[in-house]
Structures are given as C-alpha cells and as structure tokens.
C-alpha cells in the first residue's frame, strides 16, 4: 500500500512518514502542493494525506487535480491547523474523504488511513 504525503512543515512531514512506514506503508513524501501534483501524475497512491496551506499549490488544488484532472477516487485526508468551516466544507465539496485538525495523534492518522484503505477494498 502506497501513501502520498504532502506537508510543508519538515518535522511533521518526517514524523508522519516514519509513523506510516512503521505501519508497513510505502510513503511518497512531497514538500508542497506543486510537487504533490507532479508526483500524482506518475504515481497512483492508495491514500493521499495533504495539508491545506502549502506553497505553490494548496491542498484544495491537490484535491481538485485528483478528482477533476485525473478523475481518480483515491481517498484523501486533509490536515490543517485551520478550523474555518468554509475551508473544510470546500475541501469536502471538492472530494476530500476525511479531515484532521492539527495538532493530531499519529495513531489517529494511522487508523484513519487504515479505515479508508479497508473501505476502498470492500
């Protein structure tokens, strides 16, 4: 199982990567939205974990790219410190499957990833 992580905060990105690898996933790490979009043109991960606010392209643009341009149903989990209902609603309207507010538990993230993978397999 392959997970794409798009997160611009270096420490958080590394801890997410380490946790997901420990859970047995192959992890593709990107540092901004543009890099995530470029990676998604090549790779077809089982789950995408993306921050909302990133340089060059936002998480909302990543969701839109996956759903509209690539026409994929890949599960997408949004990470954001922003608690603005409008942004959350926009993410869901664009096709996000789940939303986690920072700070969050790495165990919670791992469980949500596992749940989304199980849901897509059934």
């Amino acid at each position: 199982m392959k997970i794409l992580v798009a997160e611009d905060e270096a420490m958080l990105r590394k801890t997410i990567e380490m946790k997901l690898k420990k859970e047995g996933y192959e992890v593709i790490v990107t540092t901004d939205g543009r890099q995530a979009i470029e990676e998604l043109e090549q790779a077809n991960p089982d789950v995408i974990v993306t921050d909302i606010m990133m340089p060059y392209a936002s998480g909302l643009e990543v969701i839109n790219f996956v759903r509209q341009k690539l026409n994929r149903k890949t599960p997408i989990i949004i990470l954001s410190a922003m608690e603005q209902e409008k942004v959350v609603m926009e993410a869901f309207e664009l096709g996000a499957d789940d939303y986690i507010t920072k700070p969050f538990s790495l165990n919670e993230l791992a469980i949500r990833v596992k749940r989304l993978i199980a849901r897509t397999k059934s």
Side-chain angles (χ1 to χ4, degrees):
M1 294 286 137
K2 197 181 314 182
I3 314 293
L4 182 131
V5 176
E7 171 59 59
D8 61 322
E9 293 177 39
M11 285 297 295
L12 181 56
R13 183 174 59 246
K14 191 67 181 165
T15 56
I16 291 171
E17 178 185 16
M18 288 173 28
K19 175 62 175 175
L20 293 175
K21 282 183 175 180
K22 186 178 176 187
E23 295 291 323
Y25 300 111
E26 178 184 339
V27 182
I28 302 165
V29 179
T30 61
T31 59
D32 61 60
R34 181 173 58 201
Q35 190 181 39
I37 288 169
E38 289 170 0
E39 192 64 45
L40 285 163
E41 290 177 325
Q42 310 300 319
N44 190 5
D46 297 285
V47 174
I48 298 164
V49 177
T50 182
D51 190 9
I52 292 262
M53 300 303 278
M54 293 183 291
Y56 309 114
S58 71
L60 297 176
E61 290 171 280
V62 171
I63 298 167
N64 192 55
F65 180 77
V66 171
R67 297 294 188 248
Q68 300 301 317
K69 302 280 191 236
L70 298 177
N71 198 27
R72 291 185 193 157
K73 297 187 183 327
T74 309
I76 301 172
I77 299 173
I78 295 292
L79 306 175
S80 184
M82 297 170 43
E83 295 178 7
Q84 299 172 347
E85 185 178 345
K86 181 179 180 228
V87 176
V88 174
M89 296 309 297
E90 187 176 354
F92 281 122
E93 286 171 10
L94 287 171
D97 296 278
D98 205 349
Y99 181 87
I100 302 176
T101 303
K102 295 178 187 176
F104 58 88
S105 155
L106 290 172
N107 290 329
E108 178 184 358
L109 175 62
I111 289 168
R112 288 178 186 234
V113 166
K114 188 175 189 177
R115 190 190 79 213
L116 284 174
I117 288 172
R119 190 176 82 193
T120 59
K121 297 297 178 202
S122 58

